[in-house]
Amino acid sequence: WRSEQFEALKAGTYTRKEKDRDGKVKERKFKDKAQRKEGESLIRRDAAERWTLLRARCDAKQVKARAEALAAWRTWWDAHRSDTAADWLKAGLRHPKPSVRRRAAARVASGEMRDFVPSLTEALSAETDSEVAGEQARALASFRDKAVVEPLIACMERMKPAAGEDDRARDAKNALVAGVDLALLDLTGIRGVPPSGAGWRAWWTKVADFYEIGAVQMCCGREYAMSLKGGSDDQAVLEVRRWMPKRGTDGGEWLVQSFEIKPGDVLGRRDVDAKDGHGKAIKVDLMPGLTLDHMERGQREVSHRPLKREAVIRAFLKAAGEPADSAHPEANVLVLEAPVR
């Protein structure tokens, strides 16, 4: 405002309404040098008065806001002063504001607070905000625990789009599913599973009995499971398991066999030194088989806080005798890894 007034004074268009001795309002003009100098003083005085009034109004609003904030925190402290910091975080996971729930989940993940698994699971089961659900899912996955796979998959199943939903609700559910899917990828290391609750449930049903965090494993059909037990730059030791049910019962046992293969070799139909309950020789039949493409050394993160990494060796296998899927290249390669002993 002051700059505008100075510009008008400089251009000779600045006027000011003042009362004369008789009380009449007249318009005063500032044209000569002496008048312009007086006008500068008047403009500065008016600007100072405007600024003082503005500051007073702002200060009054700030004082009121501080009083309201202090009253809110005083009420909260009176109700929760006997709670622990863990209780405050658990309350934060159930807070009505999404931003508070998101920060609480991030705090739990950064601190690796394993006692919060039940609270995070409960919060995720009721979450509807995609960003918050993604943060909560990442917090659960950061514990590197087999027990958190089930609630993550259950959350994806709960978010299955229903018939008749509008596009907005459907997009919100798809965004939530995508966030949980990334957490499952980080936790399990499995690639190629369809990013849906049904896809992850089908995988988990096959491998839940023998899956272990820290070794990437995959089921080949309904009866076989595979993991990398070790190897070098030119050789892999693959462990193949086959479920052997006991006749007349619901139980059974796993037949475990290890095979050494080199890049270019195909692991398909192999005879093993074992027999079934009928006395017949058992075969490991992974037809059309898997071809070992190459071996690779690398590192993986074991924990976030404190940061720990371990050396691993990875085996890259491709399906033998099947054309590659150009639309989903990640589905063409099975990556198994194991710690370097």
Side-chain angles (χ1 to χ4, degrees):
W1 176 88
R2 188 176 65 175
S3 299
E4 292 176 355
Q5 304 304 308
F6 279 150
E7 289 293 331
L9 183 65
K10 185 178 180 180
T13 58
Y14 177 72
T15 59
R16 187 181 181 87
K17 292 182 179 179
E18 296 180 350
K19 292 182 179 181
D20 58 12
R21 294 180 180 179
D22 299 331
K24 295 181 179 180
V25 178
K26 292 185 178 180
E27 193 173 76
R28 182 182 174 187
K29 298 182 179 180
F30 298 80
K31 293 186 176 180
D32 58 29
K33 186 176 181 180
Q35 290 176 339
R36 285 198 295 271
K37 189 173 182 180
E38 181 185 0
E40 289 181 3
S41 299
L42 294 173
I43 291 171
R44 288 192 175 92
R45 186 195 67 185
D46 292 347
E49 291 177 354
R50 284 171 173 261
W51 177 247
T52 301
L53 180 61
L54 179 63
R55 283 294 301 272
R57 291 174 179 173
C58 290
D59 288 344
K61 291 180 179 179
Q62 291 173 357
V63 170
K64 182 180 178 181
R66 285 196 295 267
E68 291 176 350
L70 179 60
W73 276 108
R74 179 61 66 186
T75 301
W76 177 87
W77 180 243
D78 290 341
H80 299 282
R81 64 192 308 161
S82 60
D83 296 343
T84 64
D87 294 329
W88 300 341
L89 270 179
K90 290 176 181 177
L93 293 173
R94 302 186 299 270
H95 198 277
K97 289 186 178 180
S99 58
V100 176
R101 298 198 300 273
R102 187 168 61 250
R103 290 199 301 271
R107 176 69 184 87
V108 172
S110 65
E112 293 187 348
M113 303 174 183
R114 191 166 295 275
D115 294 341
F116 278 78
V117 171
S119 299
L120 274 172
T121 301
E122 179 184 354
L124 182 62
S125 65
E127 189 55 61
T128 56
D129 186 281
S130 60
E131 291 188 12
V132 178
E135 196 69 54
Q136 292 172 345
R138 286 190 291 274
L140 273 174
S142 69
F143 294 123
R144 321 301 296 176
D145 192 335
K146 176 181 177 178
V148 307
V149 175
E150 176 63 34
L152 290 174
I153 296 177
C155 177
M156 297 182 76
E157 292 175 329
R158 180 175 62 87
M159 287 295 110
K160 181 181 179 180
E165 279 187 331
D166 56 26
D167 292 341
R168 186 173 182 180
R170 187 178 295 271
D171 292 342
K173 286 187 176 181
N174 289 336
L176 188 148
V177 168
V180 179
D181 178 66
L182 289 176
L184 279 168
L185 288 173
D186 176 65
L187 173 65
T188 65
I190 296 296
R191 299 294 185 269
V193 177
S196 64
W200 279 104
R201 176 63 66 188
W203 171 81
W204 186 239
T205 301
K206 297 174 183 178
V207 305
D209 290 339
F210 58 86
Y211 179 81
E212 297 175 0
I213 297 293
V216 180
Q217 305 176 9
M218 185 170 182
C219 201
C220 303
R222 292 185 301 172
E223 298 178 337
Y224 293 99
M226 181 181 299
S227 61
L228 179 66
K229 306 308 293 183
S232 58
D233 295 336
D234 58 354
Q235 179 178 280
V237 179
L238 301 179
E239 182 181 271
V240 180
R241 301 185 185 187
R242 180 180 176 183
W243 178 248
M244 303 295 295
K246 289 185 178 179
R247 190 176 181 180
T249 67
D250 294 332
E253 60 182 359
W254 285 97
L255 171 69
V256 182
Q257 293 290 320
S258 296
F259 301 96
E260 296 182 359
I261 61 174
K262 296 182 178 181
D265 291 348
V266 178
L267 180 59
R269 184 179 289 114
R270 299 287 184 97
D271 294 328
V272 297
D273 186 17
K275 294 182 179 180
D276 61 15
H278 302 283
K280 295 182 179 180
I282 298 174
K283 291 184 177 181
V284 173
D285 189 355
L286 301 178
M287 298 303 292
L290 295 169
T291 301
L292 178 60
D293 186 72
H294 67 281
M295 301 292 291
E296 181 182 282
R297 293 183 181 272
Q299 286 188 334
R300 70 175 171 203
E301 191 172 298
V302 179
S303 65
H304 300 292
R305 190 182 184 97
L307 181 62
K308 292 182 180 179
R309 292 189 176 95
E310 66 177 357
V312 295
I313 188 165
R314 299 185 178 96
F316 291 77
L317 299 103
K318 295 182 178 180
E322 292 186 359
D325 184 358
S326 59
H328 302 87
E330 72 281 356
N332 302 327
V333 179
L334 170 62
V335 182
L336 303 176
E337 68 178 28
V340 175
R341 303 298 180 184

